[in-house]
């Protein structure tokens, strides 16, 4: 009997009742890992001999899981899916992974990602392209592509991810699972390879909202090594979920959700938005109030540009330590500066180098105010607008992307201006550090699509509860790839 396609609660119950052993779970997860590796190329490293632990009352104890390859794991290869760190083995473990280990969780593999988290396709990792388990001709999105593919394929009930723009939530949407990034600082970033520090969030990819709460409870906590972390010991996400949402108020944004905003909409987009509006009616049936609001289109149109400028600037600074002298394989050259130039020129993919060039350009003294400071100002306007919405509404609910997973063939990491805001509005959750969760809401052409719920900072319980209530009334929960209706 298979267990890795079940929920954390179900697996824990089976362990407690001695229907299955930890060793049997590990064996099943490793066998499934190898199968999915052949199909989807989801892993950088599959561990040879993970050790079993004692099963306790802790829901995570004895259950296998996956770790995105930008989390430091002591004595286990941690590459960030980059050739510049292809042989890097850390001497310490990220705090959030240590926390999971304290709960008895068992890491069985490290998952492929877009190089250093930069890219939304799952195609730029140094080990190759990650394919979608629902359809191998489609992408998983990124950067947490391997984690999303593995959870969707039933390798284990959850995997860790990181989210700088939508890197947990978009892959979750494309793979028909749940993707959750909590309020900024709820989970320590110590040991996570930094991409853009003011935007980076740790989080989880699961197959249900309750599982997302369980995993986040296991990962979170204040950390002396991360000054942006905060004390959440009095918040128990899992125990707080009750599905009671009567009287809650949701809003959706006309400029993003109205099909008339997209005169060239294809059938996939039309069906996707229709699905979304059907779920708004479901929310009303659950006793929630749902209202349409309007946000200045000019402000919304600025979202992708603000993200590019700020993320590239912070990445350029954060990754200046990648020289080949401290980390990674040393490059050839007769002088130190030649070695460093060769290391960075030959080691990084073209996408990464473009982003570093953009970051360096916008931080130059003559450009900084025009680009970087202006991006920061617009970021503030966007965050202020969302906080204004949160004064009246419990959450903002929006569709994720312009439809199901995009085809790999012919797709490029280039912005489509006609649907740019629809594709990139999740970045606002990173601008403000807001708790944000993506849940499946149906299928288009037999491929999963999703909606997103975002709330105000520190209101994670409310966001998860709304998501749980909606999920509970839909058929799209606990599903693995191949389970399309």
């Amino acid at each position: 009997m298979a267990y890795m396609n079940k929920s954390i609660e179900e697996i824990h119950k089976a362990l407690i009742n001695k229907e299955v052993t930890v060793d049997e779970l590990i064996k099943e997860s490793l066998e499934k890992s190898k199968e999915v590796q052949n199909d989807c190329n989801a892993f950088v490293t599959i561990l040879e001999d993970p050790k079993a632990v004692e099963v306790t009352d802790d829901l995570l104890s004895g259950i296998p899981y996956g770790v995105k390859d930008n989390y430091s794991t002591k004595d286990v290869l941690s590459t960030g899916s980059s050739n510049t760190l292809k042989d890097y083995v850390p001497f310490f473990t990220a705090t959030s992974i240590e926390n999971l280990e304290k709960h008895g969780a068992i890491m069985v593999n490290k998952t492929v990602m877009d190089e250093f988290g930069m890219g939304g396709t799952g195609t730029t990792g140094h080990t190759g392209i990650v394919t979608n388990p629902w359809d191998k001709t489609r992408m998983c999105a990124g950067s947490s592509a391997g984690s999303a593919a593995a959870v969707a394929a039933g390798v284990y009930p959850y995997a860790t991810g990181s989210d700088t723009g939508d890197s947990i939530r978009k892959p979750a949407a494309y793979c028909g699972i749940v993707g959750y990034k909590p309020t900024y600082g709820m989970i320590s970033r110590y040991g996570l390879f930094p991409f853009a520090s003011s935007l980076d969030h740790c989080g989880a990819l699961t197959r249900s909202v309750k599982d997302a709460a369980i995993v986040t409870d296991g990962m979170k906590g204040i950390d002396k090594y991360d000054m942006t972390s905060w004390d959440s010991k009095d918040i128990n996400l899992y125990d707080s979920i009750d599905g009671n949402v009567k009287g809650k108020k949701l809003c959706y944004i006309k400029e993003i959700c109205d099909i008339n905003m997209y005169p060239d909409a294809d059938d996939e987009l039309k069906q996707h938005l229709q699905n979304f509006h059907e779920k708004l009616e479901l929310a009303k049936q659950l006793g929630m109030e749902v209202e349409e609001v309007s946000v200045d289109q000019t402000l919304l149109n600025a979202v992708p540009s603000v993200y590019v400028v700020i993320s590239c600037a912070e990445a350029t600074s954060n990754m200046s330590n990648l020289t080949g002298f401290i980390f990674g394989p040393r490059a050839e050259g007769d002088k130190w500066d030649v070695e460093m130039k060769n290391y960075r020129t030959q080691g990084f993919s073209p996408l990464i180098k473009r982003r570093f060039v953009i970051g360096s350009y916008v931080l130059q003294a003559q450009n900084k105010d025009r680009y970087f400071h202006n991006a920061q100002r617009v970021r503030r306007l966007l965050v202020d607008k969302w906080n204004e919405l949160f004064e009246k509404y419990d959450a903002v609910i929006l569709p994720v992307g312009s439809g199901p997973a995009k085809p790999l063939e012919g797709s490029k990491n280039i912005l489509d201006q006609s649907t740019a805001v629809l594709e990139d509005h999740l970045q606002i959750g990173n601008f403000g550090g807001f708790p944000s969760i993506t849940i499946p809401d149906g299928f288009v052409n037999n491929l999963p699509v999703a909606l997103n719920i975002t709330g105000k900072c520190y209101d994670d319980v409310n966001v998860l509860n709304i998501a749980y209530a909606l999920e509970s009334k839909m058929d799209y929960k606990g599903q693995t790839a191949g389970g399309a209706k």
Side-chain angles (χ1 to χ4, degrees):
M1 180 178 180
Y3 286 90
M4 288 295 93
N5 59 357
K6 298 182 180 300
S7 71
I8 292 172
E9 291 173 307
E10 290 170 330
I11 299 170
H12 178 69
K13 183 179 179 181
L15 285 169
I16 293 294
N17 292 338
K18 301 189 184 304
E19 297 169 16
V20 67
T21 67
V22 175
D23 283 325
E24 287 171 338
L25 292 182
I26 292 172
K27 180 181 178 183
E28 180 187 336
S29 188
L30 288 177
E31 288 177 351
K32 190 68 177 177
S33 294
K34 292 170 183 175
E35 177 186 325
V36 172
Q37 180 69 347
N38 290 332
D39 289 341
C40 301
N41 189 42
F43 311 112
V44 178
T45 303
I46 299 175
L47 301 186
E48 291 297 323
D49 188 26
K51 301 301 180 186
V53 301
E54 180 185 358
V55 177
T56 67
D57 290 337
D58 195 302
L59 287 171
L60 294 174
S61 63
I63 298 179
Y65 77 107
V67 178
K68 187 174 178 179
D69 210 37
N70 58 347
Y71 285 79
S72 290
T73 46
K74 183 179 180 180
D75 299 331
V76 178
L77 188 68
S78 305
T79 71
S81 283
S82 175
N83 274 319
T84 60
L85 293 180
K86 64 182 181 181
D87 300 317
Y88 174 57
V89 178
F91 60 87
F92 75 104
T93 296
T95 298
S96 58
I97 305 303
E98 278 191 340
N99 289 345
L100 288 174
E101 290 176 351
K102 290 174 184 175
H103 286 272
I106 301 172
M107 177 179 65
V108 294
N109 56 45
K110 299 291 294 288
T111 63
V112 178
M113 52 188 282
D114 280 305
E115 185 176 7
F116 289 125
M118 298 187 210
T121 59
T123 63
T124 67
H126 75 299
T127 55
I129 293 170
V130 181
T131 59
N132 194 311
W134 289 88
D135 180 347
K136 306 303 185 299
T137 69
R138 302 264 180 158
M139 66 176 62
C140 289
S143 62
S144 305
S147 289
V151 172
V155 175
Y156 28 56
Y158 72 97
T160 68
S162 62
D163 192 311
T164 306
D166 57 20
S167 289
I168 288 173
R169 294 161 293 159
K170 182 72 77 67
Y174 278 8
C175 289
I177 59 174
V178 172
Y180 171 50
K181 74 162 198 67
T183 297
Y184 184 79
M186 178 179 270
I187 299 175
S188 169
R189 290 177 294 109
Y190 181 71
L192 179 78
F193 297 177
F195 167 8
S197 300
S198 75
L199 304 173
D200 292 344
H201 294 63
C202 298
L205 297 100
T206 67
R207 290 191 296 272
S208 72
V209 174
K210 274 197 170 182
D211 278 4
I214 293 168
V215 176
T216 304
D217 279 337
M219 295 178 73
K220 70 183 181 67
I222 195 167
D223 180 13
K224 66 181 180 180
Y225 297 117
D226 179 1
M227 65 181 181
T228 65
S229 66
W230 49 276
D231 189 357
S232 59
K233 67 176 179 294
D234 293 330
I235 299 174
N236 190 309
L237 300 173
Y238 172 67
D239 286 345
S240 299
I241 292 176
D242 60 13
N244 182 11
V245 292
K246 190 173 182 178
K248 299 294 183 183
K249 294 182 178 181
L250 305 180
C251 70
Y252 64 96
I253 296 168
K254 173 182 173 62
E255 288 76 11
I256 295 177
C257 302
D258 189 344
I259 190 62
N260 295 316
M261 302 301 297
Y262 311 101
D264 299 322
D266 60 18
D267 290 341
E268 287 190 344
L269 174 54
K270 291 176 182 176
Q271 183 61 52
H272 179 35
L273 290 180
Q274 181 179 327
N275 275 1
F276 172 74
H277 283 281
E278 289 172 357
K279 301 313 176 293
L280 296 182
E281 293 303 312
L282 179 60
K284 294 176 184 177
Q285 293 171 23
L286 287 164
M288 291 187 274
E289 297 179 32
V290 182
E291 294 181 4
E292 181 182 82
V293 298
S294 187
V295 175
D296 180 51
Q297 187 73 55
T298 302
L299 188 59
L300 292 173
N301 288 342
V303 170
S305 299
V306 169
Y307 174 76
V308 167
V309 170
I310 292 177
S311 65
C312 289
E314 294 188 15
T316 299
S317 176
N318 276 329
M319 297 184 192
S320 61
N321 65 343
L322 296 175
T323 60
F325 304 129
I326 308 172
F327 308 103
R330 193 158 180 162
E332 296 182 355
D334 55 358
K335 295 181 179 178
W336 69 268
D337 55 340
V338 175
E339 284 186 52
M340 185 169 67
K341 179 181 177 181
N342 288 340
Y343 172 82
R344 293 177 70 86
T345 301
Q346 297 166 12
F348 293 123
S349 68
L351 173 64
I352 298 295
K353 287 185 280 191
R354 286 199 302 273
R355 295 203 178 194
F356 286 164
V357 169
I358 292 170
S360 298
Y361 181 80
V362 302
L363 289 176
Q364 287 179 341
Q366 65 269 34
N367 300 325
K368 196 170 185 178
D369 193 59
R370 181 181 180 185
Y371 296 110
F372 184 66
H373 288 162
N374 270 338
Q376 289 178 310
R377 294 177 186 114
V378 178
R379 174 183 183 173
R380 171 48 53 194
L381 291 174
L382 284 158
V383 172
D384 285 348
K385 180 60 185 178
W386 255 245
N387 279 326
E388 180 185 315
L389 294 174
F390 295 141
E391 290 177 6
K392 183 177 180 181
Y393 302 100
D394 292 284
V396 177
I397 184 169
L398 294 169
V400 178
S402 57
K406 302 296 184 288
L408 286 164
E409 187 67 32
S411 292
K412 297 179 180 178
N413 197 21
I414 296 174
L415 192 64
D416 179 354
Q417 292 297 331
S418 66
T419 57
V421 178
L422 190 54
E423 290 289 351
D424 293 326
H425 66 79
L426 293 180
Q427 294 164 358
I428 297 169
N430 300 83
F431 294 166
F434 304 129
S436 185
I437 188 167
T438 289
I439 63 172
D441 76 338
F443 290 86
V444 172
N445 290 337
N446 292 320
L447 293 167
V449 289
L451 60 80
N452 175 263
I453 299 159
T454 298
K456 64 183 177 182
C457 287
Y458 312 110
D459 203 20
D460 293 74
V461 169
N462 202 26
V463 168
L464 285 169
N465 203 40
I466 292 169
Y468 173 72
L470 283 168
E471 176 193 67
S472 297
K473 295 298 182 181
M474 294 191 285
D475 295 328
Y476 321 113
K477 53 183 178 290
Q479 62 190 8
T480 54
K485 304 295 179 183

